[in-house]
Amino acid sequence: MKQLVLTALAAVLLTACKTESPKKNIDLNYPETTKQPVVDTYFETEVTDNYRWLEDDRSKETENWVKAENEVTFDYLDKIPYRAQLKERLSELWNYEKVGVPFEEGDYTYFYKNNGLQNHYVLYRKDKDQKEEVFLDPNTFAEDGTTSMSSVSFSKDGKTVAYAISEGGSDWRKIIIMDVESKKIKEDTLVDVKFSGISWKGNEGFYYSSYDKPKGSELSAKTDQHKLYYHKLGTSQKSDEIIFGATPEEKHRYVGGYLTDDDKYLVVSASTSTSGNKLFIKDLSKPNSKFTTVINNFDSDTYVAANKDSKLYLVTNLNAPNQKVVTVDASNPVPENWKDFIPETENVLSASTGSGYFFAKYMVDAVSKVLQYDYDGKLIREIELPGVGSAGGFGGKKDAKELYFSFTNYNTPGSSYKFNPNDGKYELYWKPSISFNSDNFESKQVFYTSKDGTKVPMIITYKKGLELNGKNPTILYGYGGFNISLTPSFSIANAVWMEQGGVYAVPNLRGGGEYGKKWHDAGTKMKKQNVFDDFIAAAEFLIENKYTSSDYLAIRGGSNGGLLVGATMTQRPDLMKVALPAVGVLDMLRYHTFTAGAGWAYDYGTAQDSKEMFEYLKAYSPVHNVKEGVEYPATMVTTGDHDDRVVPAHSFKFAAELQDKQKGDNPVLIRIETNAGHGAGTPVAKTIEQYADIFGFTLHNMGFEDLPNPKTEKIKP
């Protein structure tokens, strides 16, 4: 394919495109959102909710409100002159072949591929004669591309496949069982499956997890008793055996089951929140065996990574905040009998296995380092990675002769490598042919000081030769929660932003997992304000060092990151020009009453816990902290009408509060994607449209009448 690079002429100062006095903003006439006050009492404090009615996702009133808000939003976006140019460039850059690493199942080698602008990756296969064919194409599942394939799992002999699909972005799944050779559906589809893996027991059946179908709306009704089932091939789903979770003693919000590679042990993890799990094992080689308890509390995150006969290898953060690997015999696997296999270090560990080896993957200031061990705990080597960035993979079957890993950073598109575990050598397996010249961009890691003196790392990526004049359009992106780490990775959308002279900055906030459990816990419950303080300090660092200024700064985040944006913009509305909260958790007094929201209480606490916790949550809850007569930044809230992870009512209520109370001309829009969920499985076409709207809205409200850098030059690859 032909490649595009920016011409030297395009490196003009952004100020040449920006007017000193931006034209009056596009006129807005918001829909009238009716107030229907509902009063709740928390510890003798009354709290009024004017927009509770928007929580009813099945009502005609909510449906009409969504349509009216979208009409205003898209009328506004249609008037941004360069929105179409952004969409064109995003489509152009997105349009390159993407190939996943191969994996063997039965008589075939499988791999995922996307020709460029396909909405979903296609699963291909090759036979022993290297004849290639399409095996499963999710692009054919629905005409509008809103049905996606979320997971694929093969039986032990590779002759049967079970794959899960999501419709409209929902977390509820269907599992379809198919004969691999003929590609014919074998039996009735399993329905109403949620938050589940698919783990085969030999060739006769598999384990999966789900909840009872909720009463009321399946998009918002609470779900809190997860159950592990076993489906035997050739039988009805109604006769599936409940393995764990049916009794009051076994009631947990999240239950998952998986088998060790040799099918000897069934492992069950059970938890009530997103942190901490109980762990049980069952010896399937012994008929009618019962579960043996490994851990019977929620004080750690622990899982079985591998086994060698009765010797279990566990990855845990019990008394090891940065995680370690331990071994124990399955006959008495309690923590008192654990022995260190890969001890804890100062860096956070994640582990994988393949080809008879362990791979210890460490984060060193959010950058990857990988060590290889044998099953006796002997260090074989440190793997010298292709550069500074994020490495993933190094996993596979025990008998695999070669493994694969991926490598990427913020300005380098992801490539994959074929790795020889015996000598540690690797070769490039696949590199994208993309019309983006990475050599024109650079990333820099800095450490800044937060409000309480904590040092926080941040990676800033931009075009080489950036002038630190305070006038560079900048997106500050954050998350800060649930032990999730933001490590360097390439994004096509961010590449388009940086082509326009934009700066992209990602701080590793407390609440994340970059420095282990202590870093995570420092951003939870009554310490959640630390996360917002870290984000505010990151913005102040960028401004003080003249990467940008408040007039050119946008803040962005999704889900828990949407909460981050909502809290930051209500606490410091002066700090940024644009706010972009996506699928955010924004009503902190009621989040736990929807779907699986109660499982987030480890990070947030709930308004029912105590008076102190209620007051703390109310003090930062974005919905409850929009104040009359304050000038908030230009805001575009984004959500999906089928989001059953963070229900769209959060976004609806926040947008309604902002539109009602906003002072000044800064617009407050809500962009509601229809027939879409929390984000996973979103068709490429919709994703491109979303980013064109987000970038167009951002640049327009920073005062740009034209794209800062509209020209590209076509050259030969």
Side-chain angles (χ1 to χ4, degrees):
M1 70 188 293
K2 291 187 176 181
Q3 291 195 341
L4 305 173
V5 295
L6 305 173
T7 66
L9 290 174
V12 294
L13 291 177
L14 296 176
T15 49
C17 299
K18 185 175 189 301
T19 58
E20 290 301 318
S21 301
K23 291 183 178 179
K24 187 178 185 300
N25 230 318
I26 297 167
D27 289 334
L28 282 168
N29 186 18
Y30 300 123
E32 183 177 344
T33 306
T34 305
K35 294 180 181 179
Q36 299 176 14
V38 175
V39 179
D40 296 310
T41 302
Y42 301 86
F43 303 98
E44 301 180 353
T45 299
E46 291 187 346
V47 179
T48 301
D49 185 346
N50 286 319
Y51 304 112
R52 181 73 55 86
W53 62 273
L54 285 170
E55 293 179 3
D56 186 353
D57 54 76
R58 298 182 299 172
S59 76
K60 192 68 178 175
E61 291 79 10
T62 301
E63 181 184 341
N64 291 338
W65 184 87
V66 167
K67 288 179 180 177
E69 288 286 349
N70 268 345
E71 282 179 11
V72 170
T73 296
F74 287 104
D75 180 64
Y76 180 100
L77 295 170
D78 285 342
K79 293 173 182 174
I80 295 174
Y82 39 77
R83 178 178 172 225
Q85 287 175 264
L86 286 166
K87 182 178 177 182
E88 181 182 358
R89 180 56 181 149
L90 282 159
S91 299
E92 192 173 43
L93 195 54
W94 220 291
N95 192 14
Y96 68 93
E97 187 178 68
K98 306 162 191 75
V99 180
V101 299
F103 56 97
E104 293 185 3
E105 299 288 351
D107 295 330
Y108 294 92
T109 300
Y110 295 85
F111 62 96
Y112 288 92
K113 184 169 74 171
N114 189 307
N115 291 335
L117 292 175
Q118 289 175 290
N119 282 321
H120 306 287
Y121 277 74
V122 178
L123 183 57
Y124 288 78
R125 69 179 179 187
K126 290 181 181 178
D127 62 18
K128 292 181 179 178
D129 296 324
Q130 298 301 298
K131 182 184 176 184
E132 182 179 307
E133 66 172 341
V134 171
F135 182 61
L136 283 170
D137 183 0
N139 298 291
T140 65
F141 293 174
E143 193 172 326
D144 62 357
T146 57
T147 299
S148 61
M149 186 165 66
S150 58
S151 59
V152 176
S153 182
F154 290 84
S155 61
K156 207 75 172 177
D157 61 9
K159 293 182 178 179
T160 308
V161 65
Y163 64 94
I165 63 170
S166 166
E167 295 169 318
S170 173
D171 280 334
W172 290 99
R173 307 284 195 253
K174 295 177 179 177
I175 297 178
I176 299 168
I177 302 161
M178 189 174 80
D179 177 75
V180 163
E181 197 62 41
S182 66
K183 294 194 277 190
K184 290 183 178 178
I185 305 301
K186 293 186 72 165
E187 55 183 76
D188 291 342
T189 296
L190 275 61
V191 297
D192 300 334
V193 177
K194 190 171 186 179
F195 297 154
S196 178
I198 302 173
S199 185
W200 281 86
K201 179 186 177 186
N203 305 312
E204 64 249 31
F206 55 82
Y207 297 90
Y208 68 95
S209 304
S210 196
Y211 304 91
D212 292 337
K213 199 69 177 275
K215 296 176 182 178
S217 169
E218 68 176 64
L219 295 178
S220 59
K222 192 171 184 178
T223 48
D224 64 357
Q225 184 159 1
H226 216 198
K227 299 173 185 176
L228 180 68
Y229 294 85
Y230 176 70
H231 177 73
K232 186 176 181 180
L233 293 189
T235 65
S236 166
Q237 184 180 6
K238 291 180 180 178
S239 63
D240 288 353
E241 180 186 1
I242 300 178
I243 304 299
F244 188 95
T247 67
E249 296 76 26
E250 292 180 347
K251 180 180 178 180
H252 296 83
R253 196 162 286 113
Y254 309 110
V255 172
Y258 54 96
L259 288 152
T260 52
D261 283 346
D262 57 4
D263 277 5
K264 182 175 173 65
Y265 297 104
L266 170 64
V267 183
V268 172
S269 173
S271 58
T272 57
S273 75
T274 50
S275 289
N277 68 286
K278 297 177 182 178
L279 195 68
F280 309 94
I281 59 169
K282 189 175 192 178
D283 188 345
L284 298 182
S285 67
K286 298 177 181 177
N288 303 316
S289 64
K290 298 187 181 300
F291 279 107
T292 299
T293 300
V294 182
I295 291 181
N296 199 29
N297 57 57
F298 304 115
D299 295 342
S300 69
D301 298 285
T302 302
Y303 65 92
V304 177
N307 74 303
K308 190 175 181 180
D309 300 323
S310 66
K311 185 178 184 180
L312 303 177
Y313 295 81
L314 310 176
V315 180
T316 185
N317 60 10
L318 182 65
N319 301 319
N322 291 338
Q323 295 207 138
K324 63 181 179 179
V325 183
V326 299
T327 58
V328 70
D329 193 272
S331 61
N332 193 5
V334 295
E336 290 78 11
N337 296 327
W338 293 0
K339 294 179 181 177
D340 281 3
F341 176 70
I342 302 176
E344 182 191 22
T345 71
E346 61 182 4
N347 298 311
V348 180
L349 164 73
S350 62
S352 61
T353 61
S355 301
Y357 293 99
F358 265 86
F359 295 89
K361 295 172 280 190
Y362 293 97
M363 279 186 294
V364 184
D365 296 328
V367 172
S368 291
K369 174 182 177 181
V370 183
L371 303 180
Q372 180 180 350
Y373 291 86
D374 65 17
Y375 268 57
D376 295 321
K378 178 186 174 185
L379 175 63
I380 304 300
R381 63 179 60 88
E382 177 178 349
I383 298 165
E384 188 175 337
L385 298 173
V388 178
S390 302
F394 296 104
K397 296 180 179 178
K398 256 185 182 176
D399 59 357
K401 293 178 181 172
E402 54 197 21
L403 302 174
Y404 294 84
F405 72 92
S406 61
F407 181 81
T408 183
N409 56 36
Y410 286 118
N411 61 307
T412 306
S415 296
S416 53
Y417 296 81
K418 183 161 63 174
F419 174 77
N420 185 327
N422 295 319
D423 61 16
K425 295 179 180 178
Y426 59 82
E427 62 186 50
L428 183 67
Y429 173 75
W430 176 80
K431 181 180 180 180
S433 177
I434 181 173
S435 57
F436 177 78
N437 191 344
S438 300
D439 293 338
N440 290 341
F441 299 84
E442 61 182 309
S443 286
K444 177 183 181 182
Q445 187 173 55
V446 300
F447 289 81
Y448 65 91
T449 304
S450 192
K451 184 178 180 179
D452 63 357
T454 300
K455 293 289 185 183
V456 181
M458 174 165 58
I459 294 180
I460 311 169
T461 309
Y462 46 84
K463 190 185 296 184
K464 288 178 180 176
L466 180 80
E467 185 176 347
L468 300 180
N469 58 10
K471 295 183 178 181
N472 303 299
T474 298
I475 290 178
L476 177 65
Y477 179 88
Y479 188 79
F482 296 90
N483 201 37
I484 289 172
S485 303
L486 298 186
T487 57
S489 64
F490 181 77
S491 157
I492 298 168
N494 292 336
V496 170
W497 174 256
M498 292 187 296
E499 280 185 337
Q500 295 304 320
V503 175
Y504 185 70
V506 182
N508 298 111
L509 312 172
R510 280 175 284 185
E514 291 86 352
Y515 294 104
K517 187 171 175 58
K518 289 180 180 177
W519 192 254
H520 173 208
D521 288 346
T524 61
K525 294 189 176 75
M526 304 285 279
K527 297 177 182 177
K528 187 65 179 176
Q529 183 61 40
N530 286 338
V531 184
F532 314 139
D533 290 342
D534 289 356
F535 201 51
I536 289 167
E540 291 173 338
F541 176 92
L542 293 169
I543 292 168
E544 287 166 10
N545 289 274
K546 297 192 180 301
Y547 285 95
T548 191
S549 62
S550 292
D551 284 341
Y552 297 88
L553 177 64
I555 59 172
R556 184 164 182 259
S559 197
N560 174 72
L563 164 62
L564 172 69
V565 172
T568 301
M569 66 178 282
T570 50
Q571 292 181 18
R572 287 291 307 277
D574 60 306
L575 192 59
M576 74 294 299
K577 185 63 180 174
V578 178
L580 302 163
V583 293
V585 187
L586 298 161
D587 183 342
M588 298 310 296
L589 301 186
R590 288 181 55 75
Y591 78 87
H592 60 290
T593 64
F594 305 113
T595 61
W600 312 333
Y602 181 93
D603 265 57
Y604 299 146
T606 75
Q608 276 73 40
D609 289 347
S610 66
K611 183 179 180 182
E612 292 75 19
M613 193 71 252
F614 154 67
E615 290 174 345
Y616 192 88
L617 287 165
K618 186 174 180 292
Y620 76 76
S621 175
V623 164
H624 300 92
N625 283 280
V626 180
K627 296 180 172 59
E628 192 82 46
V630 173
E631 185 174 7
Y632 292 101
T635 303
M636 186 162 71
V637 181
T638 53
T639 188
D641 68 344
H642 280 62
D643 189 343
D644 49 5
R645 185 88 53 87
V646 180
V647 295
H650 286 276
S651 296
F652 295 172
K653 291 160 77 171
F654 188 52
E657 290 283 356
L658 283 168
Q659 288 179 353
D660 180 52
K661 296 174 179 174
Q662 171 73 309
K663 175 188 176 184
D665 293 332
N666 288 337
V668 174
L669 304 178
I670 179 166
R671 185 189 188 282
I672 306 156
E673 191 71 69
T674 55
N675 205 20
H678 198 59
T682 301
V684 165
K686 285 195 174 193
T687 301
I688 287 172
E689 289 174 356
Q690 288 167 6
Y691 275 111
D693 291 347
I694 289 166
F695 293 160
F697 178 85
T698 300
L699 290 170
H700 174 76
N701 282 284
M702 290 175 177
F704 291 94
E705 292 187 347
D706 302 299
L707 282 181
N709 195 8
K711 295 183 179 180
T712 57
E713 179 187 10
K714 291 186 177 181
I715 63 169
K716 292 181 179 180

